[in-house]
Amino acid sequence: MSTPPPDDPSLGPAPVAPGPEPGPEAAPEPEAAPEPPLPPAATSGAGTPLVLLHAFPLDGRMWAPQVEALAGTYQVIVPDLRGFGAARDQAVEEAGMDLLADDVVRLLDDRGLDRVVLGGLSLGGYVALALLRRHADRVSGLVLLDTKATADGDQARSDRLAMVERVTAEGVGFVPEAMLPKLLGETSREHRPELVDKVAALIREQAPEAVAGAQRGMAARSDTTDVLASIQVPTLVITGEEDAVTGPEVGRDLAAAIPGARFLLVEEAGHLSNLEQPEIVNEALLDFLAPLWI
């Protein structure tokens, strides 16, 4: 009897040689961490870029007088820091100064800006100094308004954390009453009711999460005094004569610690010198910025 050919269907399927034993399934690739959000930033004008960082507990709108005065000559960029203003949905548990500084640098990267003139008032000044410590090569000029390089003392930290507890429980309704005597000088509070109302309205518009996160971040911030002597760019320090938070001596000491820094004392102005005496501050900024071309 003859043997059927190998492909004869009567034989059934041909035997299959055993393959390698299946190994464990490869682990899925981990998902990349999402990119942190960019700070929303209003931009006006063109030319040398000037970035202005706002105070606590306000947002970028506090720089409106400077934007109006400078945007005809300069590119004025005004970010809202995490949780404030248009960045309301970016609030974090603790808005540390390094985190906020890196946010600003990512904004510069997104805009294709290698170097900028950087300005900051109070909280904005803390962020500016943190940025200088981490990214000094991105700054070609510096303006520090009503701010300081020292960290909080025990009482200041305690006061900040007490506000965190209260704003978390009650919201921001009490914050204008608590903050206005610190933010505005006596002259403004007595003779500029429209400014008092404007600042109070800006505070009431902020999210409780933003106020809490910024207070935690400021309470935890490190001393940046060691940065001052290394600053190699033109610097202007501005302080309100009636500033109850960082008064004239604080401003003078800050300027004295920065090589070649200029100091301006603004009369009849408190902590928000840019809003209380905008004409004087604007004139000083225009004079300072004129020789700085990027």
Side-chain angles (χ1 to χ4, degrees), residues 210-228:
V211 174
Q215 286 285 47
R216 291 189 187 99
M218 288 188 287
R221 78 184 190 278
S222 60
D223 188 296
T224 52
T225 305
D226 61 312
V227 174
L228 303 180

Side-chain angles (χ1 to χ4, degrees), residues 166-219:
R166 188 174 175 190
V167 78
T168 301
E170 302 177 23
V172 299
F174 74 94
V175 178
E177 182 179 357
M179 291 297 301
L180 283 171
K182 299 178 180 180
L183 294 176
L184 297 174
E186 182 179 354
T187 301
S188 296
R189 297 197 310 273
E190 291 185 0
H191 301 292
R192 299 168 190 152
E194 73 292 341
L195 179 58
V196 174
D197 291 345
K198 178 179 180 179
V199 174
L202 277 175
I203 295 172
R204 282 192 291 269
E205 290 182 21
Q206 306 308 324
E209 296 82 3
V211 174
Q215 286 285 47
R216 291 189 187 99
M218 288 188 287

